[in-house]
Amino acid sequence: MKYITFTVPCYNSQDYMRRCIDSLLPGGDDVEIIIVDDGSVDATGAIADEYERLYPGIVKAVHKENGGHGSGVNTGLELATGIYFKVVDSDDWLDEEAYARLLGKVKGFWAKKETRLIGEIPDLFVCNYIYDHLDEGKSRVMQYKNVFPIEKMCDWNDIGRFHASQYLIMHALIFRTEVLRRTGVVLPEHTFYVDNIFAYQPLPHVEHIYYMNIDLYHYYIGREDQSVNEKVLMSRIDQQIMVTEIVSKCVDLNEVKEIYPKLAEYMCRNIS
């Protein structure tokens, strides 16, 4: 059984993808790692094949024509066999200790589910993430202990208020694969910033949330060609506008408000 599917979309990632993949391997046979080579022209594909050869049954290398980050996520979700699904960008990585705690909790929930000791399992795990400015030797943790009860099952009516700087971005989220598929989320190809859709559209379909106050995901900041680099953002403002329009139309917030008013408030602020 695979408890978590990690999808690693890669495009010309030869210089940093090993750090990412190596951080996922401690999950062993309990996880699957799908490396999606998105039409790379460097050694990315060969590195992916190397990992698949060294770790059969754990790592799967997929080679496809270039379609952008969203296409890589779509491919991973189509192939995923894990109970949970997480995207890890090829220049990012997971903290080993926090990863072990998360995987242990996932396995524990599923063991109780299988023996019918509990009736429900989380549709969404939320963990902290870290902005890592490695080149500057700086980091900043983004956590949610003011929003969610710590290590207690809850729903959207149990949450607190988000601070102005707090958003549920893709790096903080581990969705149940079945829930993602039920939402029908498909990310646009050849488009940047589509992770905003991934972290928004499925939220009303989540009934049970479990927050762990652990610093799991290291979000690397510093490459000049990163999509979040200010100059790159300015040059692609049309794509940001397009994604925001998609986000604003993919969920009926009036319907959400009837069931989860706090979630509707957060989602409205997210769009704005």
Side-chain angles (χ1 to χ4, degrees):
M1 175 182 292
K2 300 296 185 182
Y3 293 94
I4 306 176
T5 294
F6 294 103
T7 290
V8 184
C10 295
Y11 177 70
N12 292 346
S13 305
Q14 65 177 22
D15 294 336
Y16 39 79
M17 61 188 290
R18 290 183 184 276
R19 176 180 61 194
C20 173
I21 299 164
D22 288 345
S23 77
L24 305 177
L25 288 172
D29 291 327
D30 290 329
V31 305
E32 67 176 349
I33 304 166
I34 301 176
I35 307 171
V36 182
D37 169 25
D38 189 42
S40 301
V41 296
D42 64 358
T44 294
I47 294 172
D49 288 339
E50 174 192 333
Y51 275 98
E52 182 180 58
R53 185 173 63 254
L54 292 173
Y55 300 96
I58 298 173
V59 177
K60 177 182 294 185
V62 179
H63 306 279
K64 57 183 287 299
E65 293 183 2
N66 180 260
H69 186 268
S71 177
V73 174
N74 294 340
T75 298
L77 185 55
E78 288 174 6
L79 298 174
T81 64
I83 300 169
Y84 289 90
F85 181 85
K86 182 158 185 62
V87 180
V88 183
D89 289 341
S90 59
D91 55 350
D92 299 335
W93 66 98
L94 300 190
D95 176 84
E96 185 173 356
E97 182 179 346
Y99 177 21
R101 286 185 58 188
L102 169 67
L103 184 56
K105 188 63 67 172
V106 170
K107 293 174 68 176
F109 267 113
W110 194 254
K112 291 179 180 178
K113 175 73 172 178
E114 291 287 273
T115 55
R116 303 186 184 277
L117 290 177
I118 58 172
E120 302 294 345
I121 61 173
D123 296 320
L124 173 65
F125 279 89
V126 179
C127 299
N128 306 335
Y129 66 96
I130 306 162
Y131 283 112
D132 250 310
H133 299 258
L134 287 183
D135 301 333
E136 302 175 15
K138 299 178 181 178
S139 64
R140 180 162 60 104
V141 176
M142 302 301 293
Q143 48 78 28
Y144 301 93
K145 60 186 179 182
N146 59 296
V147 179
F148 302 103
I150 298 175
E151 300 208 18
K152 293 181 180 179
M153 195 86 84
C154 68
D155 65 27
W156 296 114
N157 291 324
D158 300 320
I159 67 173
R161 288 188 174 273
F162 288 82
H163 294 320
S165 61
Q166 280 180 312
Y167 292 93
L168 294 173
I169 73 171
M170 186 167 66
H171 306 326
L173 308 177
I174 305 100
F175 285 103
R176 194 150 61 94
T177 307
E178 178 186 334
V179 172
L180 282 177
R181 288 176 173 156
R182 192 189 310 149
T183 69
V185 60
V186 177
L187 304 183
E189 296 193 349
H190 299 292
T191 307
F192 289 87
Y193 315 116
V194 293
D195 53 327
N196 293 323
I197 304 169
F198 184 89
Y200 181 92
Q201 183 176 337
L203 296 182
H205 299 267
V206 168
E207 296 182 3
H208 303 97
I209 311 155
Y210 196 85
Y211 168 60
M212 299 183 69
N213 187 26
I214 53 177
D215 303 340
L216 175 69
Y217 192 105
H218 288 260
Y219 178 18
Y220 175 68
I221 299 290
R223 289 201 339 267
E224 290 186 0
D225 63 337
Q226 274 186 300
S227 60
V228 294
N229 177 280
E230 185 175 357
K231 292 181 180 179
V232 176
L233 274 168
M234 292 172 64
S235 69
R236 296 172 178 160
I237 190 65
D238 58 325
Q239 295 192 39
Q240 183 68 75
I241 291 171
M242 182 186 75
V243 167
T244 302
E245 184 176 7
I246 292 171
V247 167
S248 69
K249 294 179 178 178
C250 69
V251 173
D252 186 334
L253 291 184
N254 289 323
E255 291 183 0
V256 176
K257 189 175 182 179
E258 292 181 3
I259 305 173
Y260 301 124
K262 292 181 180 179
L263 174 61
E265 180 182 353
Y266 162 77
M267 295 179 79
C268 181
R269 184 174 70 86
N270 193 348
I271 297 172
S272 66

